[in-house]
Amino acid sequence: MRKPRKSLMTLLALFTAFSITACTTDKETNSSTTSPEATKAAETAAAHSAAPVANANDPGWKSDTKPITFDWYLNFSWFPNKWGVDATSQYITKKTGVNINFIVPAGNENEKLNTMIASGKLPDFITLGWYEDAVKKMIEGNMVLPLNELAKQYDPYFIKVADPAKTSWYTQKDGNFYGYPNASSSSEDYKKYGQNFVSNQTFLVRKDMYEAIGKPDMRTQEGFLNALKAAKEKFPDVNGQPLIPLGLHEFGDLGNSSLLDAGQNGSMLQNFLAIPYEKDNKLYDRSTDPEFVSWLKTFRKANEMGLLAKDIFIDKRPQMEEKIAQGRYFAMLYQRSDLANQNISLYQKDPNKVYIAVDGPANAAKSPPTLAGPGISGWTVTLISKDVKDKARAIKFLSYLISEEGNKDLYLGEKGVSYDTINGKDQFKPEVLDLMNKDRAAFDKKYGSSYTFWMLMDTNMNLQWAPPSVEPIKQPEEWTKGKSKSFSQYDNIVPTGTSEEGIANTKIAQAWGKTLPKLLLAKTDAEFDQLFDKYQKDRQAAGLDKVKAYQQKEFESNTKKIAASAK
């Protein structure tokens, strides 16, 4: 929910940087080509380049810088940027010879990806969430290549720059690993950088409205409902449009990540309620926890009181971004980075009308939230298709992207253009940093640095170059410090694919996706109970016991993996 900045800042702050990029939507498939100038420069560079044999100590990409274009599929319909428009991607193409044609779904990501998988042919590179069912489908269908084998054959330098904790984590039962993550943090990373780690999960309110109603305590169910009611009464409309008292992430086929998305192992609400993942080394069924169910009933009550606008059940991200930019939500259980761009715009118009993080829903004991911090799985994984047009160039380019050199290029861009050595430190030029903080979309198009292209970003590596956060990014980010936890041991335990437990889990997840809106729209608690009980029976009938046994086994395996990598 994917999902790094500061020299001494924190890791997931980067999610600000990359998700800000995510804040604009593109309804059409993005297909990009480099500018004529960049292509010509790449050809010139290739003509004058030497071609040493790749070896374990020398970056493999240097052995071949002839122009080549790779097709790269991103399973994120909101990604708006094109390679070759900005200075950073032009610089990387000039340097490596590699141009990228991004392919982005125009609508439903799963439909697009499943169609490609069914066709049996994939683009050269594929980037998607590590949690997606399609990852397993592509690996089991022999549609993607083992990165370790590609490295061994074409670019041993990959093994030198790859993080062994990450490659070990993604190694399959056949001994190969097929994907490499971005924004990933191992146990070792937690030792080095943990004190700076933050979470993307926040409960946000519009500052002026929250202060106008007396900064109420929204941790209790009664306080939560009273605050929503008071905001609606005091601010019935915003610039002629009805106030939306509460905003959530968009509803999908498997639920809602603010409340519970059954396709993911956990939810923001459950983390705010500090519901444990395990008890006595056994996975705990968080979805039936009494505190969680009680808060779901509070959301139902909010709807009964007219505090859940119809918009939240039907709006997709583009519509939500438009309404955030208008300041129409009072409160939001939402990832802070997903509204960062709009929040910057609001801040520039009036610093009092921005969204700030405050204490949100809590359990009866008012325990501090346990928010998801960076984990070993990261946010996305990038794979290389068996149909890739040039295996050697593909793995060499991947090696470059995950290396410190590649990450520095992607973060700072070209020296003299977007950054310089100032006071002995490589950092953004003042005018570049100013644009980044004021207009991220314009920054992306002009400079394309600060991980505009985040597919292989290392959110720990970038701490050495990242500037300190500024408002309005800083406050929500800082609020999560000390509340962020690693939940790596619970990653990748959701069964997928065509196995018995995979099929069972899909049925259960889809049943939850249909049930959740009905629970919130139920007219009474009694109706809620009937719907919830039916869902429990349906998931039991679908094969819940098989799913639980699978998850317990994977959880225990993960625990051993993490312990081994920490030695």
Side-chain angles (χ1 to χ4, degrees):
M1 69 54 294
R2 327 296 69 316
K3 294 65 33 26
R5 24 165 60 56
K6 290 98 239 155
S7 302
L8 267 99
M9 261 289 304
T10 158
L11 180 184
L12 267 204
L14 176 266
F15 278 108
T16 296
F18 73 66
S19 286
I20 294 178
T21 328
C23 289
T24 343
T25 8
D26 188 1
K27 295 198 172 185
E28 300 300 326
T29 297
N30 282 322
S31 182
S32 61
T33 55
T34 347
S35 65
E37 292 82 4
T39 303
K40 186 176 180 180
E43 291 170 348
T44 302
H48 293 87
S49 65
V53 177
N55 63 71
N57 296 311
D58 195 45
W61 66 266
K62 291 184 176 180
S63 66
D64 188 351
T65 57
K66 294 187 297 294
I68 186 172
T69 297
F70 284 117
D71 293 324
W72 194 318
Y73 176 76
L74 298 175
N75 199 43
F76 299 91
S77 61
W78 46 256
F79 185 77
N81 298 299
K82 297 181 180 182
W83 190 270
V85 172
D86 59 277
T88 295
S89 59
Q90 289 173 9
Y91 166 61
I92 291 174
T93 293
K94 179 176 67 175
K95 178 176 181 174
T96 66
V98 177
N99 176 41
I100 296 171
N101 171 47
F102 283 124
I103 300 168
V104 179
N108 185 290
E109 289 95 343
N110 289 335
E111 287 180 8
K112 172 70 173 177
L113 189 52
N114 286 334
T115 299
M116 288 197 305
I117 291 172
S119 75
K121 188 167 178 61
L122 297 173
D124 303 303
F125 289 89
I126 307 100
T127 295
L128 71 168
W130 62 261
Y131 43 83
E132 297 284 357
D133 186 34
V135 176
K136 189 171 184 179
K137 285 182 183 176
M138 289 186 286
I139 293 173
E140 291 182 345
N142 297 317
M143 301 185 73
V144 289
L145 299 171
L147 300 184
N148 51 300
E149 291 296 333
L150 288 176
K152 183 179 176 182
Q153 187 171 358
Y154 301 108
D155 187 23
Y157 185 72
F158 176 89
I159 302 303
K160 181 176 181 178
V161 295
D163 186 329
K166 297 171 188 177
T167 58
S168 172
W169 180 256
Y170 277 102
T171 295
Q172 305 294 311
K173 290 181 173 64
D174 64 3
N176 297 317
F177 61 89
Y178 297 81
Y180 198 83
N182 73 352
S184 168
S185 289
S186 64
S187 300
E188 193 60 32
D189 291 325
Y190 264 84
K191 292 176 188 175
K192 289 182 185 176
Y193 313 107
Q195 72 275 14
N196 290 321
F197 283 175
V198 294
S199 176
N200 214 16
Q201 299 182 333
T202 45
F203 180 68
L204 302 151
V205 293
R206 213 180 97 168
K207 184 175 183 288
D208 57 338
M209 294 182 181
Y210 183 65
E211 292 174 350
I213 61 173
K215 297 183 180 179
D217 183 351
M218 299 182 72
R219 292 177 296 171
T220 67
Q221 296 173 24
E222 182 182 11
F224 183 83
L225 290 172
N226 287 341
L228 296 184
K229 183 171 181 287
K232 185 178 180 182
E233 289 173 351
K234 195 168 186 67
F235 303 95
D237 61 73
V238 178
N239 296 326
Q241 298 288 332
L243 177 78
I244 304 171
L246 179 68
L248 305 168
H249 281 280
E250 65 182 68
F251 283 80
D253 295 341
L254 308 181
N256 184 303
S257 59
S258 295
L259 304 177
L260 176 60
D261 184 320
Q264 301 172 24
N265 190 39
S267 78
M268 289 178 67
L269 178 58
Q270 291 171 339
N271 291 346
F272 266 86
L273 301 179
I275 297 172
Y277 276 87
E278 59 176 285
K279 291 185 177 182
D280 300 322
N281 298 318
K282 295 291 182 184
L283 287 175
Y284 177 57
D285 190 349
R286 302 173 94 208
S287 67
T288 58
D289 183 90
E291 299 251 25
F292 173 65
V293 176
S294 180
W295 266 95
L296 283 184
K297 286 186 174 181
T298 299
F299 282 86
R300 185 212 70 77
K301 184 67 176 177
N303 184 64
E304 182 186 325
M305 295 168 66
L307 301 173
L308 293 190
K310 296 287 189 293
D311 310 49
I312 70 171
F313 294 98
I314 57 176
D315 282 351
K316 298 301 180 186
R317 183 155 167 170
Q319 291 77 40
M320 294 179 66
E321 288 176 351
E322 183 180 350
K323 290 169 184 176
I324 293 167
Q326 295 167 348
R328 287 185 57 193
Y329 297 94
F330 162 59
M332 301 189 79
L333 189 58
Y334 204 68
Q335 291 197 128
R336 59 182 175 78
S337 64
D338 286 8
L339 56 63
N341 208 26
Q342 291 76 27
N343 216 20
I344 289 171
S345 297
L346 290 169
Y347 183 81
Q348 289 169 350
K349 293 172 187 172
D350 187 341
N352 288 314
K353 292 184 178 179
V354 295
Y355 287 96
I356 59 170
V358 298
D359 293 338
N363 59 33
K366 294 187 178 178
S367 305
T370 53
L371 307 178
I376 186 67
S377 294
W379 171 37
T380 68
V381 287
T382 294
L383 309 97
I384 295 177
S385 161
K386 68 174 176 58
D387 302 309
V388 65
K389 59 176 62 75
D390 189 323
K391 295 178 183 178
R393 292 293 296 279
I395 190 65
K396 289 173 183 178
F397 189 57
L398 190 62
S399 298
Y400 160 74
L401 292 175
I402 69 173
S403 70
E404 182 164 337
E405 179 182 12
N407 264 263
K408 184 176 182 180
D409 288 346
L410 286 164
Y411 190 77
L412 287 178
E414 183 176 9
K415 188 167 186 176
V417 178
S418 49
Y419 87 95
D420 243 320
T421 305
I422 304 170
N423 298 325
K425 173 181 166 58
D426 288 344
Q427 55 187 296
F428 289 118
K429 296 166 75 172
E431 67 273 19
V432 177
L433 183 59
D434 185 61
L435 181 62
M436 184 174 80
N437 287 329
K438 288 182 177 176
D439 190 338
R440 179 70 202 208
F443 169 89
D444 289 344
K445 287 180 173 57
K446 184 171 183 178
Y447 295 108
S449 43
S450 186
Y451 292 135
T452 295
F453 304 101
W454 38 256
M455 298 83 205
L456 276 308
M457 66 182 177
D458 187 316
T459 49
N460 298 315
M461 198 181 288
N462 103 292
L463 297 176
Q464 62 191 301
W465 312 301
S469 285
V470 297
E471 298 299 354
I473 303 300
K474 184 178 180 180
Q475 189 276 339
E477 183 181 274
E478 292 284 330
W479 182 86
T480 69
K481 281 191 176 181
K483 303 178 181 74
S484 305
K485 311 291 180 186
S486 172
F487 295 134
S488 292
Q489 63 269 44
Y490 313 113
D491 287 350
N492 262 338
I493 66 171
V494 177
T496 59
T498 56
S499 63
E500 278 189 72
E501 57 270 15
I503 293 170
N505 187 70
T506 299
K507 288 180 181 176
I508 292 168
Q510 290 172 342
W512 175 251
K514 292 176 182 175
T515 301
L516 178 58
K518 294 178 183 176
L519 293 174
L520 302 186
L521 296 170
K523 291 184 169 53
T524 63
D525 279 351
E527 184 184 344
F528 179 105
D529 290 338
Q530 289 176 351
L531 289 164
F532 195 73
D533 290 345
K534 182 180 184 303
Y535 167 69
Q536 298 305 325
K537 290 174 183 174
D538 287 346
R539 71 178 192 145
Q540 196 65 50
L544 179 62
D545 290 340
K546 288 189 179 72
V547 173
K548 284 187 171 182
Y550 175 92
Q551 290 181 314
Q552 181 66 29
K553 183 180 176 183
E554 293 301 305
F555 157 61
E556 291 171 2
S557 173
N558 283 353
T559 303
K560 290 175 184 175
K561 263 189 188 181
I562 292 170
S565 67
K567 289 180 180 177

